[in-house]
């Protein structure tokens, strides 16, 4: 297909900067905090809605706030071609994670409109609710609901730091209706393609502008609570102690050891949260809570290491005379990209005159869950230094524009198939 596309680079950069201003950070952009269902999240949704309407897209919002913006095709009854990402951001994050996929998806549609392209299948842009786990402890709630993986009872069980349930908070934010109504079937999307910054260093290191994702690693997330015995820091001698923090520290080091010893180079384990009680300088810690994030593109390998970690935690707890409870918050299956979409994306790179490489995504995305109901693909663009989830996260206007062009060509070809 010989499409002459013009990506309005200045426009997309301006819109990314405008969106970044809608942040709870006390500092100006690029530091961004935009947690789901907060005032800033609702402001961002309102801003995006104005852009969708200006582009002439048909907009609908589901029961959890997933926002669908559709460019109708000549045969609108056919399953659509989907693209999109998220705009929520963890505290003090950057301004490109997720947003490049939403605003970039919009710019891809606008560039096709300007080129007088007419899709046969409708092209639909989705802004997912709550890809980040910041508020409720579990990520990708919007895409999980769409794929049928979260029901109303589970949403009621998810609470934020104030004790408010997901269901109550989403209703206060103006998103009502039954959760079942937000589930889409396996015939909704003909294909799905998400544009995203890599969040790693490979593309920049190799000097390549585009990564075509072949698989997405999936996380298992656990919460561990270690209960020991508190006491005065000066009055309880070392042989008598049942220090919850010392036990937890040994567990954390063992988790790192097991991950390093794994036969899979793609397996990673992270303890990113540690909460100590009573957190007094002269008091022996009596309780510690910590998180575990365990990922691999091979589900069986990840789950095998998960079992080793759980066994090691209990052995350490027994030896130290403390108690350990482990709760699995989620254990999601990895996803493989569609070979058909990979081939279309490769052809789009070639038509754009851009070099590429195939790669796996070690971060997980909403596309992981869309893969359960539709053929899925992802496109990566480099980010400076491989940095993400930090204020200095950055991708250049040129790289963003190139990624959007490849996305537009991919969507176009999928929409006429």
């Amino acid at each position: 297909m010989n499409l002459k596309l013009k990506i309005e680079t200045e426009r997309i950069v301006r819109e990314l900067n405008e969106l970044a201003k809608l942040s709870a950070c006390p500092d100006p952009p690029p530091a961004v905090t935009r947690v789901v269902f907060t005032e800033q999240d609702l402001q961002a949704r309102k801003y995006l809605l104005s852009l969708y309407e200006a582009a002439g897209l048909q907009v609908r919002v589901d029961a959890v706030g997933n926002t669908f913006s559709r460019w109708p095709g000549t045969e609108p009854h056919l399953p659509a071609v989907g693209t999109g990402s998220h705009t929520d951001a963890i505290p003090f994050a950057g301004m490109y994670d997720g947003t490049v996929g939403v605003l970039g998806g919009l710019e891809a549609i606008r560039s096709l409109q300007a080129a007088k392209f007419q899709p046969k299948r409708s092209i639909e842009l989705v802004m997912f609710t709550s890809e980040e786990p910041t508020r409720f402890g579990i990520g990708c709630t919007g895409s999980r609901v769409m794929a049928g993986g979260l029901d109303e009872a589970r949403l009621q069980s998810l609470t934020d730091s104030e004790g408010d349930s997901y269901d109550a908070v989403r209703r206060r934010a103006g998103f009502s209706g039954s959760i079942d109504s937000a589930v889409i079937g396996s015939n909704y999307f003909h294909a799905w393609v998400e544009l995203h910054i890599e969040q790693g260093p490979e593309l920049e290191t190799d000097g390549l502008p585009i990564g075509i994702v072949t698989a997405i690693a999936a996380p298992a997330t656990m919460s561990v609570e270690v209960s020991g015995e508190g006491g005065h820091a000066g009055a309880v001698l070392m042989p008598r102690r049942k220090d919850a923090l010392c036990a937890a520290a040994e567990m954390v080091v063992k988790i790192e050891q097991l991950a390093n010893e794994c036969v899979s180079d793609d397996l990673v384990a992270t303890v990113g949260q540690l909460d100590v009680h009573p957190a007094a300088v002269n008091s022996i810690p009596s309780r510690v809570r910590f998180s575990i994030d365990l990922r691999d593109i091979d589900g069986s390998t990840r789950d095998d290491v998960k079992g080793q970690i759980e066994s090691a935690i209990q052995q350490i707890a027994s030896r130290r005379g403390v108690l350990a409870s482990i709760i699995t918050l989620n254990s999601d299956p990895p996803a493989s990209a569609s070979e058909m979409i990979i081939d279309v994306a490769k052809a789009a790179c070639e038509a754009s005159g851009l070099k590429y490489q195939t790669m796996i995504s070690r971060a997980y995305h909403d596309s992981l869950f869309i893969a359960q109901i539709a053929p899925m693909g992802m496109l990566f663009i480099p980010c400076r230094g491989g940095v993400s989830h930090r204020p200095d996260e950055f991708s250049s206007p040129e790289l963003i524009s190139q990624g959007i062009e490849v996305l537009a060509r991919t969507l176009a070809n999928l929409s006429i198939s």
Side-chain angles (χ1 to χ4, degrees), residues 60-285:
R60 73 177 180 90
V61 182
D62 72 13
V64 295
N66 292 317
T67 304
F68 302 77
S69 307
R70 177 169 287 219
W71 180 24
T74 57
E75 298 186 33
H77 62 283
L78 293 175
V81 174
T83 189
S85 195
H86 66 99
T87 57
D88 64 316
I90 67 170
F92 296 95
M95 58 181 283
Y96 299 92
D97 174 20
T99 58
V100 165
V102 175
L103 289 169
L106 175 60
E107 182 59 26
I109 291 173
R110 292 185 301 210
S111 71
L112 292 171
Q113 290 173 332
K116 306 300 182 185
F117 174 76
Q118 183 59 64
K120 180 174 76 172
R121 299 177 184 274
S122 298
I123 297 178
E124 189 159 72
L125 171 64
V126 183
M127 192 285 288
F128 292 105
T129 285
S130 194
E131 193 262 4
E132 303 291 3
T134 308
R135 186 163 188 176
F136 296 101
I138 182 172
C140 298
T141 58
S143 52
R144 288 177 194 268
V145 167
M146 284 171 59
L150 276 181
D151 58 19
E152 197 141 2
R154 181 73 196 281
L155 287 180
Q156 286 282 13
S157 73
L158 299 177
T159 57
D160 63 14
S161 60
E162 303 298 319
D164 281 341
S165 75
Y166 189 107
D167 194 55
V169 175
R170 62 116 181 172
R171 290 180 185 277
R172 284 204 304 272
F175 306 113
S176 58
S178 73
I179 300 305
D180 288 344
S181 69
V183 178
I184 62 174
S186 58
N187 291 323
Y188 189 91
F189 285 125
H190 168 68
W192 169 268
V193 188
E194 180 176 1
L195 175 66
H196 208 282
I197 60 171
E198 182 194 347
Q199 300 182 286
E202 290 185 29
L203 289 173
E204 184 182 60
T205 300
D206 294 340
L208 295 171
I210 301 292
I212 299 175
V213 172
T214 58
I216 304 175
T221 308
M222 293 168 278
S223 175
V224 181
E225 180 170 312
V226 182
S227 300
E229 291 182 3
H232 193 285
V236 182
L237 296 177
M238 300 306 289
R240 295 181 180 273
R241 293 195 179 194
K242 297 179 180 180
D243 187 318
L245 180 56
C246 289
E250 185 178 347
M251 293 169 187
V252 172
V253 172
K254 186 65 176 180
I255 291 166
E256 180 189 42
Q257 177 189 335
L258 290 170
N260 280 323
E261 292 173 351
C262 180
V263 294
S264 170
D265 292 334
D266 294 316
L267 184 129
V268 291
T270 305
V271 174
Q273 295 175 317
L274 190 72
D275 179 61
V276 181
H277 179 82
V281 67
N282 60 345
S283 182
I284 299 167

